[in-house]
Amino acid sequence: MKKINISILGGFLGSGKTTLLQNILKEEKKRNRKVAVLLNEIGEHSVDTDIIGTKIPLKELLNGCICCTLKNELEIQLLSLYQQHQPDVIYIETTGVAHPLEVLDACLSPIIAPFIDIKSIIGVVDLKRWMDRYELNQSLQKLLVEQIRYSDYLLLNKSDLVTDKEQSSIQKEIIKINPKAKINLTTYAQVSLEEINHSNRSCGATHEELHVHHHLHIQTMTYQFEGSVIKKEFDEWIKNLPNNIYRIKGFLQFEDDQVHTHLFQYSYRSPYSFPQKKTFPKNLVFIGKDFDLDRLKKELKDLEQNAKQKVSAYLE
């Protein structure tokens, strides 16, 4: 099964995301890789679409943000790009007010998670805007910080508009917020793909294994069930999850209901599930930070095994 790489381009309004995307597309063309683009704009029209042109497969998500109002539409468009074009990589340019973690969450739909590999969250920071951030309201100030905190790679852009002393001071502030991110000072978002580091460092997944993205600061994994679980045991397991698992979403089947697939959602330690009229792939997507992957894998397999043994005992 071919997996498609996905890179998320984030950053505040006017930081240089579109310029970065143009630079990346030029380099990808030299490499003869099949590229697709998904553009998200708050407004009714995307000027960036005209800039990119018609030679690259492109989908637009307008009148909203993929991290909230357009989550379901994002899944449809990603699946469409995958099925119609089979690109090697999809670049998602977010709106300037998108939260990186929420965009990552939106991308990891249980339906398409097995087919994609999130390679990186690339954040673009306008150095001048960062210096003047206190002119913004507190919510936007917090968003600027969050966009930096959850990026894997940071372009400190428009470096020509600040002094060397200011550059040094800002770098220290950025490193304090996100000490793990790779940082590059840029002008006009000029950066090579090698510097962004698009190496394939994730380990593969089968239907029996977890799919882990080691290089993302925010961990994600997809667990694919072979069978069902006992609802009471699963509910108890959920209650005892550590706080560093932020989000779970997907589909599973409970042992006492072999007719329906159940949609499962978990966020802010609140779980809920609903039976579905249609049958969906039994995948659960986890999002968090520094959680024990092997332990989760074993616990989920144990839950499946317990349900299997119960069914076997009943048949006997």
Side-chain angles (χ1 to χ4, degrees), residues 7-171:
S7 287
I8 299 167
L9 309 184
F12 198 65
L13 299 163
S15 58
K17 295 188 297 296
T18 302
T19 304
L20 171 62
L21 179 59
Q22 287 178 285
N23 294 338
I24 288 174
L25 293 179
K26 289 177 184 176
E27 287 212 30
E28 291 285 16
K29 185 177 180 180
K30 294 176 183 176
R31 296 180 175 208
N32 293 317
R33 290 219 299 170
K34 291 181 68 176
V35 178
V37 172
L38 196 152
L39 293 177
N40 181 208
E41 289 286 357
I42 290 288
E44 297 179 357
H45 178 72
S46 172
V47 177
D48 298 344
T49 301
D50 303 324
I51 295 172
I52 292 171
T54 59
K55 293 183 179 180
I56 294 174
L58 181 145
K59 297 289 184 181
E60 294 178 309
L61 292 173
L62 307 177
N63 281 325
C65 186
I66 55 178
C67 64
C68 45
T69 58
L70 297 179
K71 274 190 175 184
N72 292 337
E73 184 67 18
L74 173 67
E75 177 184 325
I76 294 169
Q77 298 293 14
L78 282 178
L79 192 58
S80 174
L81 286 172
Y82 172 82
Q83 293 174 334
Q84 293 178 21
H85 303 285
Q86 289 287 299
D88 298 311
V89 59
I90 299 174
Y91 288 99
I92 300 176
E93 182 185 334
T94 67
T95 70
V97 292
H99 191 294
L101 188 55
E102 294 296 326
V103 175
L104 177 66
D105 181 20
C107 288
L108 289 171
S109 155
I111 302 296
I112 59 175
F115 311 116
I116 63 175
D117 190 359
I118 309 289
K119 299 305 293 183
S120 59
I121 299 174
I122 305 166
V124 186
V125 182
D126 179 336
L127 295 189
K128 192 66 176 170
R129 165 56 70 190
W130 177 255
M131 290 177 60
D132 298 335
R133 65 191 181 281
Y134 297 113
E135 297 176 2
L136 302 170
N137 64 46
Q138 288 191 346
S139 295
L140 291 178
Q141 289 180 41
K142 183 178 179 180
L143 176 63
L144 279 172
V145 172
E146 295 284 279
Q147 288 176 337
I148 291 168
R149 178 172 287 124
Y150 291 107
S151 293
D152 304 298
Y153 185 92
L154 286 164
L155 271 69
L156 306 190
N157 198 34
K158 305 185 183 180
S159 59
D160 55 321
L161 300 182
V162 298
T163 66
D164 290 346
K165 184 178 180 180
E166 288 169 336
Q167 286 180 17
S168 179
S169 176
I170 294 171
Q171 274 192 281

